[in-house]
Amino acid sequence: MHETRPAKITSDVVTLNDGHLKAMPLLLGIGVIGLLASFILSMFSSAGGSAFERFSFIYLVNFCFVLSISLGCMFFVIISHLTRAGWNVTVRRLAELFAMCAFPLGILFLVILLPVLMGYDFVYPWNQSGWSAHSIEQAEQIAALDAAAKPPIEQLKGAYLNPMFFSIRAIAYFLIWGAMGAFFLKTSLKQDDSGDVILTKRMQALSAPLLILFAVTIVFSSFDFEMSLSPLWFSTMFPVYFFAGAFMSGLITITLTAMWLQKNGRVTDEITTEHYHDLGKLTFGFVVFWGYIAFSQFLLIWYANIPEETFWYDYRINTTGWGIWSLILVVGHLFIPFLAIMGRTARRNRTFLAGAGIFLLVMHWVDHYWLIMPQMDAYGHVFTFNPLVDIPCAVGMIAIYIAIFCFVAKNRPLVPLKDPRLGEALNHAVH
Amino acid sequence: MASVNPAIDIDNTNEEPGTRAPLVLGGLDYAGVTETVCAPWEAENPPKIWWLILAAALSLLLVLGGCVNHLLMKGVGVWGNNNPAYWGWPIVNFVFWVGIGHAGTLISAILFLFRQNWRTSINRAAEAMTIFAVVCAGLFPGIHIGRVWVFYWLFPIPTEHLAMWPNFRSPLLWDVFAVSTYATVSILFWYMGMVPDIATFRDRCKSKIGKIAYGILSLGWTGSARNWHRYEIAYTILAALATPLVLSVHTIVSFDFAVSQLPGWHTTIFPPYFVAGAIFSGFAAVVTLLVPARALYGLQNLITLRHLENMNKIIMATGMMVGTAYGIEFFIAWYSGVPNEQFAFINRAFGNFWWAYWIMVTCNVVIPQLFWFKWCRTTPWFMVIVCIFVNIGMWFERFVITITSLCRDFIPSSWAYFHPTGIDIMMLIGSFGLFTTLFLLFCRFLPVIAMAEVKSIMPHGDDHH
Amino acid sequence: MADKNDKDSKLVGLLAQFDDPDSLISACNEARLAGYKAMDAYSPFPVHGIDPAIGIQRSLLPFLVFCVGFGACFAGLGMQYYTNAADWSPIFPGYAFKISGKPLFSFPANIPVTFEIIVLSSAFATFLGMWGLNKLPMFSNPLHRISRFKRATNDKFFLMIETKDENFNRSETESQLNQWGAVAIEECRQDLTDNQLPSWVRLVGLLGVFLLMLPPVMIFRNMGMTSRSPRLHVVPDMDWQHKEKTQVLSPVMENGEYLFTDERAMRKPVDGSIARGQLEVDSEMYRGVKKDYKAAANSAKTNARLVSASIEDKEDAPVEPDQADQAEDVSMWMTQFPEGVTVDQAFVERGQQRFNIYCSACHGYDGNGNGLVNQRAMALGANGQAQWTAAKSMHDATVKDDSKNPLGRIFDTITNGRNTMGPYGAQIPAEDRWAIVAYVKALQETGIQPATASTETDGADEEKQTDADGGSDKEEKTS
């Protein structure tokens, strides 16, 4: 029988301890340089479209990548309260902080949103008429038509996919996410001072309605941000697919952040192998869930073989470059991690789990790249991968994201100090 | 001899954060748990009401048997199936029963993996219910194939005179594999979980026949620590296998519909949406069965209000997932710009079968909202009413999906209306007789609650739990 | 007691009882530290923390299951490949059959079954592996003879130290167990006199095995033999029915002659018989022919048509269509709607609906003869891939002309078809056919002209088609 630990924080350092003050300028610097470099290099990228278009697309990939991490963490917080979970209290604060980052990300979205409002179709083809065409010539013909003479499909979808409504929705998502993130973070921080049980009860009570709100926003934001890149294509499964990847990446980010903090002498005592083991199990579960959703969506479209739907996959499977990319995605996002973190020993080994986590995050990035980039040149079927453009942008965006995290975290405690279920989490053991 | 405390409802639904509400009430110790669970089994005669329900169930079973016989003699024309509604009530009933059959394995497997301790009191009965529901489910496609006596053609058995194999590219064949695998694994899981409890029965049994029967069924179980060690690992592995399996079953059932090109059937969200609906209806069925069962057998101290409340919360959550899926389907039907899709959904809500659609929405989306109120989800008689509505709604969901789309396909000249026949109706009612009979026999002869598992989550000594 | 049983039984170990799991664990820890290895604890539920206390190694079961599952993956895929794609095997060849446009071996479509096979095999591996490693079922266990041990499945906890342990010493071990807090200690003895199965069990078992082997042996024996007796039909499967199939020879009588002299099994209805509900005496309503029109006084064609509508015709009186058409007497057709129908807005709308369902595929929604089927067929025809006579336009001058094409004649066209157009009488009830007639007249009244380019092309094609047919049906074209 193991000894019961008292419900007390024993680590010496439970905050970033001013580390963020040093890190933030550096990270912001890397971020700005990375994004600028990517923008400049995209001018020399030959693959279809203008430099603006090339840059906007890779920017959207990286934006969706970091946004999905925040949304995954937000789900982690909500579901913890909904199920009155006790085991994960010590890692919940990290999730709360990452969830809060979703709101500042709204500012980064302006890079996409402003051109949309100005009427450019750098990323979202529906912003200029002619998108339903199958060739550039046809698109030009349609563009020349009067509004009333446009193809019916463009008129129909124009009611939903237009710059004004799109912007209103986008702003609403970020406001809702900001409010939800702030609610959980603020309430939890308040409990650090007072230890008031009523705060936990309040978060539990609100978690159910907030989950509904979260579901609605994630459904429509995934339609808007990613699915509408190919305005003709539609799949009811798409939000679930987006969610599966998001929650998986959120879990990994929590795991990796905790490991990194502990390596740097913070919250050393509160997060144990047991927590990593359980996070690893959940990650494993959602790797499989992602595979299940991805396969189901593909199978249904492949099997029914309706041209309205298959063109989306046809592009991603039967063109040079993208076919291999899809294969990498299937093998790297499903089979390799499935075998890698299936075993108990693998999940209890920190180094191994960290490696698997980084690998999966890369695969999650590959996933968003696969969702977004093929739409850049819908007529030419161009394989866009260009490390010179893509990697600086990714590095820059991730640096900015970490800077945002530092900004949100400040010197706030990285574990809930007086959560009533702290004892349960500290004594958590996998039987 | 431990005293068995009187069984009354104690409110253990309020859980102060930082403490965990007890899951075993009435001050029961280990022996008390054994006594409570064994008491109805050790009683000389089952309660009168048990006989009454059994008599009713057996008569319904007789009706079912008569209908099946009539069907085999006359052919599938005795059903209301027509052109174009080739899939009528039998398939609706199949999907309905398979859906109900999801809760048991979900409780045993997924809640086990998520370490939800409250599952221990309800998992046995839920697993039994699962198996009986799958039996009812298997009946319908079984007799739907027409020539039942050549059912083995469904399996890859080499035959010389036929020189044919099943077509593995057909989702209907995936169904055969999914449902039979699910039934098999559920039985293994159920039986394996029951062995320690059957050993308890063996050690308490008075009659000679009982001693032999339970002795054989318990396989000589002693409760050795070495055995428990492997047993627990095996249980975890089976849970880990059953979790994707339970998802796969209703996913594959949804493939039956969704791989087609029929508007209203072909939509990619079907797999998770069917699974959520299955869990929804399955939990509703568990609540419907357990509330009377706990009252009848005095199990209120083990199946507490907290257990019931938790299930009701899951019902509400999955109900809303189903509702969200209805919404997404409607939105995408509009957004797709495909006239057939748009028509299919408008037709569902306002076409010939509008009444079925609105029964479905009322029962599945509106009525479960009552569970937002604590009184509704902690009052046993009331939750049973809600859960019965949920099951009605889920039956209608399958009806709406199957029938409305088939009756309104692409060619208006082939549109038709569907009328069930008396045989259809009697078979559906009769299947409840089969289900109830099996469940009553289970309650009489096997351990209704997983005693060993309940004991393992009870606080003991100076343990911190 | 011990002395008396020494010859008949063997001491297996010492069983100590504890009342709660914690004292069991501490006793196990003590026993391990005292150097005991051959020991086991018994409890009504899995006690956590006991594995290290007794020194249980983690089981190999997960690895076993993984191997089985991994193998099942390939076995499942292999089975599907073999059965659906491999037709080269000499025995039980695969059934390579292209269906629903999928390749013979369709990887995505094979994943669900592969998955199920993996789960099924792994589940059996887990279930059987667990019992196998636990050496269960084992029904003769000396522990079951101890009445106290019955509480091991209820509420008591036991520790047994076995005699085979090298540190075991009857008295010393007992005192140690007492010291570690045992509530009671008992000897566990194996009965040596009663270790054989009762002879009747063996007999029944042998008999059972023998009886079970009979059916397969008989089946195998019969499989290798030829037989004159007919195949055994457990279920008749509609193999024998009291009927003659279509297009077969007449049954033969005992004297060797055909039952029916024309040697055909299929019979015609008796002359003049009419199926129930199909009397349709009202020629105006059902044939569009004027009631007072005298068939006999007119041409052979009309005669033939009228007769054929009600009575099966003689084989020897075929009517040449060309002659018939030339001889057509337009005056026979109704110029008004029959008495049974009321032409109002609802009626015309009904007609529109029926027209859109049945006619528009070829004739187009506006009646221009430019429906989708027509367009496609014309396109194919232009490539020489199909023979197709263009669908008629409702706005064609001859079609529109009431004197050449009165109402009754349109009705007749729908009912019996005309030229290459098929009959729709069987699909559309008479009232609806009249409704379509009304709608066709309404369409013509709207005055939509076949003015679009595509229709003109169609017209041109039609001409060409007619020429190709040799111009013999010039008359027919105007009908």
Side-chain angles (χ1 to χ4, degrees):
Chain A
M1 301 249 57
H2 51 269
E3 292 302 311
T4 306
R5 276 173 69 176
K8 261 172 66 184
I9 303 290
T10 48
S11 304
D12 299 332
V13 190
V14 293
T15 65
L16 288 178
N17 200 16
D18 288 341
H20 63 289
L21 297 177
K22 257 189 290 171
M24 264 165 57
L26 182 69
L27 287 165
L28 281 176
I30 296 175
V32 171
I33 291 169
L35 292 181
L36 271 179
S38 169
F39 180 66
I40 292 164
L41 287 166
S42 63
M43 289 183 194
F44 304 104
S45 173
S46 56
S50 64
F52 282 112
E53 200 179 321
R54 181 72 180 81
F55 177 71
S56 299
F57 261 90
I58 188 63
Y59 184 88
L60 185 66
V61 170
N62 290 300
F63 176 79
C64 288
F65 171 71
V66 292
L67 178 68
S68 68
I69 292 175
S70 277
L71 295 180
C73 290
M74 194 175 293
F75 182 75
F76 185 83
V77 176
I78 300 175
I79 202 80
S80 299
H81 286 299
L82 193 69
T83 56
R84 305 172 181 173
W87 68 272
N88 62 8
V89 167
T90 48
V91 290
R92 206 188 62 220
R93 176 60 51 79
L94 294 177
E96 284 164 0
L97 292 169
F98 275 112
M100 189 62 232
C101 295
F103 185 59
L105 281 178
I107 300 164
L108 292 183
F109 191 63
L110 290 177
V111 175
I112 305 289
L113 190 61
L114 289 178
V116 169
L117 271 176
M118 286 188 280
Y120 292 110
D121 62 344
F122 293 150
V123 276
Y124 295 109
W126 44 260
N127 212 15
Q128 295 208 337
S129 58
W131 53 261
S132 67
H134 298 292
S135 66
I136 299 173
E137 296 75 35
Q138 205 185 345
E140 280 166 359
Q141 281 173 14
I142 294 173
L145 295 172
D146 292 337
K150 299 265 193 272
I153 186 102
E154 294 196 11
Q155 295 187 29
L156 176 99
K157 292 200 183 185
Y160 181 77
L161 298 174
N162 60 64
M164 201 32 97
F165 193 23
F166 178 83
S167 312
I168 293 171
R169 287 197 306 270
I171 292 166
Y173 301 145
F174 285 105
L175 287 178
I176 290 171
W177 293 332
M180 276 161 58
F183 165 72
F184 284 111
L185 184 60
K186 286 277 147 58
T187 318
S188 181
L189 284 171
K190 211 192 273 177
Q191 202 176 42
D192 281 353
D193 297 331
S194 65
D196 197 348
V197 172
I198 202 97
L199 297 171
T200 302
K201 283 186 173 170
R202 188 179 299 159
M203 287 192 280
Q204 280 174 5
L206 272 173
S207 60
L210 288 183
L211 185 60
I212 299 172
L213 201 59
F214 178 79
V216 172
T217 51
I218 205 165
V219 164
F220 284 98
S221 62
S222 65
F223 284 155
D224 290 346
F225 292 175
E226 292 194 334
M227 197 171 89
S228 78
L229 286 166
S230 175
L232 280 174
W233 191 70
F234 53 91
S235 168
T236 40
M237 184 78 110
F238 197 83
V240 191
Y241 182 87
F242 180 85
F243 161 77
F247 190 48
M248 187 203 74
S249 62
L251 289 166
I252 295 165
T253 308
I254 296 168
T255 314
L256 291 176
T257 313
M259 286 177 180
W260 184 77
L261 288 172
Q262 291 197 315
K263 210 174 161 214
N264 288 288
R266 290 159 174 96
V267 286
T268 44
D269 298 349
E270 280 71 33
I271 302 166
T272 65
T273 308
E274 306 296 341
H275 296 112
Y276 289 127
H277 186 183
D278 270 7
L279 285 168
K281 275 193 217 169
L282 275 175
T283 309
F284 175 75
F286 275 83
V287 164
V288 178
F289 184 70
W290 178 92
Y292 160 63
I293 295 296
F295 172 71
S296 298
Q297 177 171 277
F298 167 73
L299 180 82
L300 293 180
I301 289 172
W302 171 82
Y303 202 110
N305 209 2
I306 304 174
E308 284 98 311
E309 301 172 333
T310 45
F311 74 92
W312 196 84
Y313 275 107
D314 180 47
Y315 194 157
R316 282 162 176 75
I317 292 169
N318 294 332
T319 47
T320 330
W322 289 120
I324 296 180
W325 198 268
S326 303
L327 200 64
I328 293 173
L329 186 63
V330 174
V331 175
H333 205 303
L334 180 63
F335 292 121
I336 294 177
F338 177 82
L339 293 174
I341 53 175
M342 182 159 65
R344 175 189 156 92
T345 342
R347 290 193 295 249
R348 293 182 78 87
N349 180 331
R350 284 193 195 196
T351 324
F352 188 86
L353 190 61
I358 291 166
F359 177 77
L360 267 173
L361 274 188
V362 171
M363 281 303 137
H364 184 58
W365 185 84
V366 167
D367 187 15
H368 280 285
Y369 198 90
W370 178 83
L371 287 172
I372 291 172
M373 291 308 280
Q375 298 312 135
M376 198 176 97
D377 188 6
Y379 305 127
H381 292 196
V382 178
F383 181 59
T384 56
F385 185 64
N386 181 352
L388 288 179
V389 182
D390 297 345
I391 290 175
C393 189
V395 171
M397 184 67 82
I398 291 166
I400 292 180
Y401 188 60
I402 300 172
I404 293 175
F405 175 77
C406 291
F407 174 75
V408 173
K410 298 194 179 68
N411 268 337
R412 290 163 169 167
L414 297 168
V415 279
L417 300 178
K418 291 181 183 161
D419 191 287
R421 298 203 175 101
L422 188 62
E424 205 174 319
L426 290 175
N427 286 300
H428 175 56
V430 179
H431 291 314
Chain B
M1 193 75 179
S3 67
V4 178
N5 287 18
I8 44 154
D9 273 336
I10 301 167
D11 186 9
N12 61 336
T13 56
N14 286 315
E15 187 178 69
E16 199 60 20
T19 60
R20 290 295 178 192
L23 291 167
V24 176
L25 301 176
L28 293 183
D29 53 6
Y30 298 135
V33 171
T34 316
E35 295 297 330
T36 312
V37 178
C38 293
W41 169 70
E42 282 168 345
E44 289 260 316
N45 283 310
K48 262 204 193 86
I49 182 104
W50 187 89
W51 286 111
L52 282 174
I53 305 173
L54 185 71
L58 281 175
S59 15
L60 290 182
L61 182 59
L62 213 62
V63 171
L64 179 71
C67 288
V68 172
N69 183 53
H70 181 65
L71 174 90
L72 296 185
M73 291 295 129
K74 297 278 175 184
V76 289
V78 300
W79 282 327
N81 300 20
N82 60 20
N83 172 358
Y86 298 104
W87 280 359
W89 275 32
I91 297 302
V92 175
N93 297 342
F94 160 68
V95 183
F96 171 73
W97 279 117
V98 165
I100 285 185
H102 274 57
T105 313
L106 181 102
I107 291 171
S108 326
I110 298 183
L111 296 187
F112 173 76
L113 294 181
F114 280 113
R115 270 187 248 107
Q116 297 290 311
N117 284 338
W118 58 274
R119 62 178 267 287
T120 52
S121 297
I122 52 171
N123 69 346
R124 175 68 44 71
E127 283 168 33
M129 187 209 74
T130 286
I131 290 161
F132 306 146
V134 172
V135 168
C136 292
L139 174 74
F140 285 102
I143 53 181
H144 200 271
I145 57 176
R147 290 193 285 160
V148 182
W149 45 93
V150 290
F151 75 97
Y152 57 88
W153 286 359
L154 291 168
F155 297 96
I157 297 166
T159 54
E160 217 158 352
H161 74 280
L162 201 60
M164 271 206 271
W165 295 97
N167 171 23
F168 283 101
R169 288 152 290 179
S170 159
L172 298 180
L173 193 73
W174 308 343
D175 235 7
V176 173
F177 275 76
V179 175
S180 53
T181 302
Y182 184 57
T184 315
V185 174
S186 296
I187 289 171
L188 291 184
F189 202 20
W190 182 56
Y191 175 62
M192 199 185 101
M194 212 154 45
V195 164
D197 293 337
I198 295 179
T200 308
F201 273 21
R202 171 199 66 200
D203 291 344
R204 293 172 69 94
C205 193
K206 303 269 186 325
S207 77
K208 181 113 188 161
I209 298 172
K211 270 181 188 164
I212 293 175
Y214 291 115
I216 291 172
L217 283 176
S218 62
L219 306 176
W221 178 262
T222 55
S224 135
R226 287 168 211 281
N227 287 1
W228 275 122
H229 168 78
R230 297 191 191 96
Y231 178 90
E232 283 201 289
I233 290 176
Y235 200 92
T236 312
I237 297 175
L238 275 187
L241 288 169
T243 301
L245 177 65
V246 74
L247 292 183
S248 83
V249 176
H250 230 53
T251 295
I252 288 175
V253 171
S254 82
F255 284 167
D256 292 348
F257 296 90
V259 296
S260 73
Q261 299 174 335
L262 198 62
W265 281 15
H266 177 71
T267 173
T268 48
I269 202 163
F270 257 30
Y273 151 53
F274 263 52
V275 172
I279 296 166
F280 181 50
S281 65
F283 268 86
V286 174
V287 171
T288 314
L289 283 181
L290 284 189
V291 169
R294 78 199 262 276
L296 188 61
Y297 283 170
L299 301 172
Q300 284 93 333
N301 285 330
L302 291 171
I303 304 172
T304 67
L305 286 181
R306 185 162 154 65
H307 292 94
L308 298 175
E309 193 197 13
N310 280 347
M311 285 195 274
N312 291 336
K313 283 179 178 172
I314 291 181
I315 289 172
M316 188 166 72
T318 46
M320 275 186 291
M321 284 186 209
V322 170
T324 312
Y326 296 160
I328 294 179
E329 277 188 323
F330 260 83
F331 174 74
I332 289 292
W334 173 81
Y335 175 89
S336 71
V338 179
N340 294 319
E341 287 285 327
Q342 293 169 345
F343 171 78
F345 284 91
I346 291 170
N347 176 56
R348 264 189 199 174
F350 307 109
N352 271 344
F353 291 100
W354 61 271
W355 46 273
Y357 182 82
W358 292 107
I359 290 176
M360 166 187 107
V361 170
T362 313
C363 294
N364 288 352
V365 183
V366 180
I367 291 181
Q369 303 304 324
L370 285 170
F371 283 154
W372 284 106
F373 303 103
K374 187 161 180 122
W375 182 86
C376 298
R377 54 175 201 261
T378 52
T379 308
W381 65 268
F382 190 81
M383 65 179 83
V384 171
I385 295 175
V386 173
C387 287
I388 289 173
F389 273 114
V390 166
N391 272 323
I392 293 173
M394 284 309 291
W395 189 89
F396 272 99
E397 181 195 296
R398 280 63 177 257
F399 178 84
V400 165
I401 292 172
T402 310
I403 304 291
T404 57
S405 287
L406 279 176
C407 288
R408 290 286 179 276
D409 67 1
F410 300 98
I411 309 169
S413 57
S414 67
W415 288 359
Y417 197 76
F418 177 85
H419 296 281
T421 61
I423 298 288
D424 273 318
I425 297 167
M426 286 194 290
M427 272 196 166
L428 174 61
I429 298 172
S431 64
F432 281 92
L434 174 61
F435 179 75
T436 316
T437 308
L438 291 170
F439 194 77
L440 286 171
L441 293 177
F442 160 73
C443 286
R444 178 69 190 132
F445 295 110
L446 289 169
V448 184
I449 287 180
M451 290 177 272
E453 292 196 55
V454 171
K455 288 172 195 167
S456 73
I457 58 142
M458 283 166 68
H460 56 87
D462 56 355
D463 199 20
H464 62 265
H465 284 298
Chain C
M1 178 179 160
D3 295 73
K4 190 188 149 207
N5 287 340
D6 266 352
K7 281 176 208 132
D8 303 337
S9 65
K10 188 181 98 190
L11 185 66
V12 181
L14 276 181
L15 186 71
Q17 180 186 327
F18 299 87
D19 279 350
D20 63 281
D22 295 329
S23 41
L24 175 71
I25 290 176
S26 66
C28 291
N29 274 320
E30 298 281 1
R32 191 188 73 244
L33 294 174
Y36 289 110
K37 286 199 178 65
M39 59 175 171
D40 209 342
Y42 300 89
S43 56
F45 58 87
V47 176
H48 292 296
I50 204 154
D51 295 359
I54 307 191
I56 298 175
Q57 298 293 313
R58 199 168 163 79
S59 171
L60 277 176
L61 191 61
F63 179 71
L64 178 86
V65 173
F66 176 78
C67 293
V68 170
F70 203 72
C73 174
F74 295 101
L77 282 173
M79 177 190 78
Q80 294 178 73
Y81 169 76
Y82 181 83
T83 53
N84 282 173
D87 51 358
W88 36 258
S89 169
I91 48 158
F92 299 128
Y95 184 58
F97 182 63
K98 280 245 179 195
I99 193 162
S100 66
K102 303 286 177 281
L104 287 178
F105 184 63
S106 315
F107 190 66
N110 289 331
I111 286 181
V113 169
T114 311
F115 171 81
E116 300 298 335
I117 289 173
I118 293 173
V119 170
L120 187 67
S121 318
S122 310
F124 270 109
T126 314
F127 183 81
L128 299 176
M130 188 272 285
W131 296 122
L133 291 172
N134 277 341
K135 299 196 177 61
L136 291 177
M138 193 181 40
F139 296 109
S140 76
N141 189 329
L143 283 168
H144 291 318
R145 292 181 183 267
I146 301 171
S147 66
R148 183 187 296 281
F149 190 71
K150 291 199 185 307
R151 299 287 288 271
T153 57
N154 183 355
D155 60 341
K156 298 296 183 218
F157 303 82
F158 296 89
L159 172 64
M160 183 158 89
I161 296 181
E162 290 166 32
T163 46
K164 65 184 174 206
D165 193 287
E166 53 193 20
N167 291 333
F168 184 85
N169 179 304
R170 175 71 182 74
S171 54
E172 195 189 326
T173 305
E174 184 168 355
S175 68
Q176 277 175 322
L177 282 171
N178 267 323
Q179 195 190 326
W180 298 332
V183 179
I185 296 174
E186 220 170 293
E187 283 185 344
C188 177
R189 295 192 153 270
Q190 187 177 7
D191 193 337
L192 297 173
T193 59
D194 195 17
N195 59 356
Q196 296 291 313
L197 273 177
S199 56
W200 65 269
V201 173
R202 291 197 217 169
L203 198 70
V204 168
L206 275 174
L207 203 66
V209 171
F210 177 72
L211 286 175
L212 279 176
M213 278 168 67
L214 274 181
V217 165
M218 285 165 73
I219 290 172
F220 266 105
R221 181 178 153 274
N222 285 348
M223 274 170 81
M225 286 172 58
T226 53
S227 168
R228 285 179 165 277
S229 54
R231 186 159 73 96
L232 189 66
H233 278 76
V234 183
V235 181
D237 256 350
M238 292 194 276
D239 283 356
W240 300 284
Q241 296 175 39
H242 296 286
K243 69 163 192 191
E244 292 299 328
K245 298 200 167 159
T246 49
Q247 313 286 359
V248 296
L249 283 173
S250 158
V252 182
M253 292 187 295
E254 280 173 14
N255 60 9
E257 287 176 18
Y258 286 112
L259 176 61
F260 300 118
T261 48
D262 61 358
E263 301 181 10
R264 293 193 256 184
M266 292 165 75
R267 309 314 302 158
K268 288 183 177 178
V270 179
D271 279 356
S273 61
I274 293 168
R276 263 169 207 259
Q278 290 182 10
L279 185 54
E280 300 181 350
V281 280
D282 183 352
S283 78
E284 298 198 343
M285 182 68 195
Y286 295 102
R287 286 179 287 284
V289 175
K290 286 175 187 157
K291 215 179 281 179
D292 48 3
Y293 182 76
K294 292 285 171 284
N298 288 283
S299 74
K301 151 77 187 174
T302 318
N303 202 353
R305 193 183 280 279
L306 279 177
V307 172
S308 69
S310 55
I311 303 166
E312 281 291 333
D313 201 4
K314 311 281 177 297
E315 310 147 15
D316 55 350
V319 182
E320 288 296 320
D322 284 357
Q323 294 171 0
D325 272 345
Q326 277 158 6
E328 182 177 339
D329 177 6
V330 181
S331 69
M332 67 188 278
W333 302 115
M334 297 276 293
T335 51
Q336 310 269 307
F337 283 92
E339 279 168 30
V341 301
T342 330
V343 183
D344 55 10
Q345 172 134 8
F347 188 68
V348 178
E349 276 169 3
R350 172 80 182 165
Q352 178 183 28
Q353 196 196 28
R354 299 292 107 180
F355 181 90
N356 288 348
I357 290 171
Y358 294 105
C359 316
S360 65
C362 291
H363 292 283
Y365 287 100
D366 54 5
N368 270 338
N370 200 22
L372 284 171
V373 170
N374 192 58
Q375 288 179 26
R376 176 73 178 148
M378 293 305 285
L380 288 175
N383 297 337
Q385 290 172 275
Q387 284 291 315
W388 177 256
T389 311
K392 220 17 125 205
S393 166
M394 302 294 148
H395 307 288
D396 195 293
T398 46
V399 178
K400 246 172 129 171
D401 188 347
D402 274 344
S403 62
K404 287 183 182 158
N405 203 20
L407 295 183
R409 193 168 181 281
I410 302 178
F411 182 85
D412 180 67
T413 307
I414 300 170
T415 310
N416 297 315
R418 196 167 299 276
N419 304 338
T420 50
M421 172 176 159
Y424 281 78
Q427 286 104 308
I428 315 177
E431 289 79 9
D432 284 346
R433 273 177 265 152
W434 281 114
I436 294 174
V437 173
Y439 179 65
V440 166
K441 291 320 282 183
L443 260 185
Q444 291 172 344
E445 287 305 310
T446 58
I448 298 171
Q449 292 303 314
T452 57
S454 58
T455 320
E456 275 167 23
T457 331
D458 290 352
D461 284 346
E462 193 180 357
E463 289 297 330
K464 235 182 278 168
Q465 193 88 29
T466 314
D467 292 343
D469 289 349
S472 64
D473 52 1
K474 194 79 181 165
E475 194 62 34
E476 182 187 313
K477 208 175 78 66
T478 57
S479 56

